[in-house]
Amino acid sequence: MPDLAVAIVWHQHQPYYPDDIGGENPMPWVRLHAARDYWGMAMLLWETPEMHATINLVPSLLDQLAAYQAGGEDTHLRISRLPVDGLSEPDVAYVLENFFLVQPEHNIFPYPRYAELYQKRGAPGEPLERVRKRFSKQDLLDLQCWHNLAWIHPLAFERDAELAAFRKKGRHWSEAEKQWLLARQLKLVGEVIPLHRRLAERGQVELTTSPYYHPILPLLWDKRLARRAMPDVPLPARLESCADDVRQ
């Protein structure tokens, strides 16, 4: 069998989530994927120096990573930071609706306390007023922690004994412990860009980039281009080009 040359290309893209007018970032996905996937994939490379790859880091992702290091936050992080004694009813509803947003089979069921809280949450669609009565303050505090723990890459627990001990405890965390966890998570987020820089300097990774809003650029230029990928897709009634937006 002839040798096969394989080029590994990882495309690290996140949409630009912050609402720059309203001043709030409603989505946590840059932070959560950074602490798990972007940090973890780069660390796997760092620990395997014989492996080479190309990583595409898009500007919309880099800007949001930098914003976290400048003290920015998202709605999930803001509500994670709130002491349970200070949670309003809308905050509690937000926690119960959003803090199980992870793949249950791999990220909830392996952890008895998180699985217990997941079962307590009940079926989707159940009135939150009823669900709320089943959750104590400690339940909510543990849920704030588990939601963030589930989005940390396994390698981080192997490399950080304190983080591993935190997860092993599993329940009955304090407010101070929760704040420690969130700070540790943001530390991982802050390591993403420097880690990629070190990989590039070591000659192990080629870094590439893309236009800021690249997924939509072809459609702004010509909406008919959608049919190159999806020949039967319905097109909008107005097909005018937004070429000036593309150039900007």
Side-chain angles (χ1 to χ4, degrees), residues 16 20-21 23 31 51 82 127 162 178 180 214 216 225 241:
Y16 187 76
D20 291 334
I21 296 176
R31 173 175 56 91
M51 181 180 178
L82 291 175
E162 289 183 305
K178 180 185 71 177
W180 178 91
H214 74 279
I216 201 173
L225 291 174
S241 174

Side-chain angles (χ1 to χ4, degrees), residues 3-227:
D3 293 337
L4 180 65
V6 177
I8 299 174
V9 181
W10 290 338
H11 176 55
Q12 314 292 45
H13 169 76
Q14 287 289 331
Y16 187 76
Y17 294 112
D19 178 355
D20 291 334
I21 296 176
E24 185 168 11
N25 179 1
M27 298 294 182
W29 306 122
V30 166
R31 173 175 56 91
L32 298 182
H33 281 290
R36 186 175 68 185
D37 306 306
Y38 304 143
W39 182 90
M41 293 166 76
M43 186 56 69
L44 285 170
L45 281 172
W46 185 259
E47 294 190 348
T48 316
E50 66 273 16
M51 181 180 178
H52 291 253
T54 298
I55 300 179
N56 185 256
L57 296 170
V58 305
S60 58
L61 170 61
L62 295 175
D63 274 359
Q64 291 175 90
L65 289 173
Y68 281 110
Q69 295 314 293
E73 65 178 3
D74 55 73
T75 303
H76 282 55
L77 179 56
R78 177 177 61 80
I79 292 181
S80 293
R81 285 170 165 163
L82 291 175
V84 290
D85 286 338
L87 292 175
S88 66
E89 286 305 314
D91 292 334
V92 172
Y94 188 94
V95 168
L96 296 176
E97 287 182 324
N98 292 279
F99 280 30
F100 295 104
L101 292 180
V102 71
Q103 211 285 330
E105 183 178 351
H106 298 107
N107 300 103
I108 293 181
F109 296 152
Y111 309 109
R113 176 57 167 161
Y114 204 6
E116 174 188 329
L117 295 170
Y118 183 75
Q119 295 298 328
K120 186 176 288 193
R121 170 62 179 85
E126 184 178 1
L128 286 176
E129 299 81 13
R130 187 189 309 165
V131 176
R132 172 68 181 90
K133 296 176 181 178
R134 296 199 289 265
F135 278 76
S136 68
K137 289 181 179 180
Q138 188 64 58
D139 290 336
L140 293 170
L141 176 52
D142 286 356
L143 180 54
Q144 287 174 316
C145 291
W146 270 113
H147 167 70
N148 288 282
L149 270 175
W151 283 93
I152 292 178
H153 195 277
L155 268 180
F157 298 97
E158 294 181 16
R159 298 173 64 90
D160 187 333
E162 289 183 305
L163 192 59
F166 184 100
R167 187 175 67 174
K168 184 177 181 181
K169 180 178 178 179
R171 62 180 66 224
H172 297 155
W173 290 296
S174 67
E175 289 288 349
E177 288 174 313
K178 180 185 71 177
Q179 299 301 332
W180 178 91
L181 169 66
L182 296 173
R184 210 64 153 209
Q185 183 191 63
L186 287 171
K187 182 175 182 292
L188 293 174
V189 174
E191 292 174 1
V192 171
I193 294 176
L195 181 54
H196 282 79
R197 184 181 294 115
R198 293 199 300 272
L199 286 166
E201 291 171 348
R202 192 160 78 174
Q204 189 177 350
V205 162
E206 179 183 2
L207 297 178
T208 63
T209 190
S210 306
Y212 203 96
Y213 296 111
H214 74 279
I216 201 173
L217 281 177
L219 300 179
L220 290 176
W221 187 267
D222 184 352
K223 299 177 181 66
R224 299 174 185 84
L225 291 174
R227 286 189 168 161

